[in-house]
Amino acid sequence: MKNKRTSLVHLIYFSRLTISNEPALRAKQIGDITRQAQKKNEFAVITSFLIIDQNFAIQVVEGERQSVNETFQRIAADSRHRDVQIVEWREIAKREFVSSFTTVSRTPANDPHFAKSGLLPMLQRGTPKGSAIHGLAITLQAESMAKQGIDHLFV
C-alpha cells in the first residue's frame, strides 16, 4: 500500500535578527513580533516555536502546506530578518507544537538546554541541523509545559 501524502508540513528556518541589542528595546521588539505573528498564525492555523539565541532566530513552523509557504514568504520579506535560510521542509503526520506562536530566548535558566544542543556554533557557521533545532524546540516546549503542570501533549 502506498503512503498517503499529507498536506501537513513543518518548516525549520534560521535567520539573523536585525533588532536592537539594548535590552528594553529588544524586549519590546520581540513582544511586537510575538503579538503580530500570533494573530497571523491563528488566522492561518499555524503552530510555531521561535527560538532566539543572541542575534539568531530559529523557528519551527507547522501547518497546511500553503499556509506554511505563505507564512515563510512573509517571514523572509520581514526587515527584522536577514539571511533567512530553510533548514528543513517535510511532511508530518501530526503537529508537535501547541501554540500558534511561542517565543523562547536563551537565558541563564535554559542555557544548559541550548549548550547541549550545540546550535550556536552551527548558526555562526550557517550550518544548523534540523534535528538539533527540532530537539531543542521539543525540549523547551516540554520544560515550559511541565512548569505549567501539563504532563503530556494532546495534539
Side-chain angles (χ1 to χ4, degrees):
M1 178 179 230
K2 267 181 127 173
N3 286 346
K4 184 179 176 186
R5 283 188 63 111
T6 175
S7 64
L8 193 61
V9 298
H10 93 175
L11 165 80
I12 299 175
Y13 78 87
F14 80 102
S15 69
R16 292 182 182 272
L17 289 174
T18 57
I19 61 176
S20 177
N21 286 324
E22 192 276 311
L25 182 55
R26 182 180 180 89
K28 181 191 179 311
Q29 290 171 324
I30 291 171
D32 291 345
I33 290 169
T34 300
R35 281 185 295 283
Q36 292 167 6
Q38 193 163 27
K39 287 177 188 174
K40 289 177 181 177
N41 286 1
E42 285 172 1
F43 182 76
V45 193
I46 294 287
T47 51
S48 68
F49 200 91
L50 175 67
I51 301 168
I52 298 174
D53 191 354
Q54 295 183 9
N55 280 332
F56 292 100
I58 314 143
Q59 189 172 20
V60 181
V61 180
E62 300 174 323
E64 295 296 322
R65 185 180 311 278
Q66 183 172 341
S67 293
V68 169
N69 186 46
E70 289 168 0
T71 298
F72 179 72
Q73 295 307 318
R74 189 177 68 247
I75 291 165
D78 190 321
S79 63
R80 296 171 292 196
H81 294 274
R82 68 179 172 85
D83 303 329
V84 181
Q85 296 180 40
I86 293 175
V87 175
E88 183 174 278
W89 173 284
R90 66 179 170 87
E91 290 184 350
I92 55 174
K94 64 179 183 168
R95 294 176 191 260
E96 295 180 284
F97 296 94
V98 296
S99 177
S100 60
F101 193 85
T102 300
T103 305
V104 175
S105 294
R106 189 175 196 157
T107 65
N110 62 25
D111 186 64
H113 297 304
F114 279 82
K116 184 177 178 184
S117 75
L119 267 176
L120 189 56
M122 288 187 260
L123 291 166
Q124 291 167 335
R125 289 190 307 269
T127 60
K129 294 183 179 157
S131 59
I133 294 167
H134 184 260
L136 177 60
I138 292 292
T139 298
L140 293 170
Q141 176 178 256
E143 180 177 73
S144 174
M145 291 173 61
K147 286 180 182 174
Q148 298 172 50
I150 302 168
D151 62 356
H152 62 283
L153 179 61
F154 295 103
V155 181

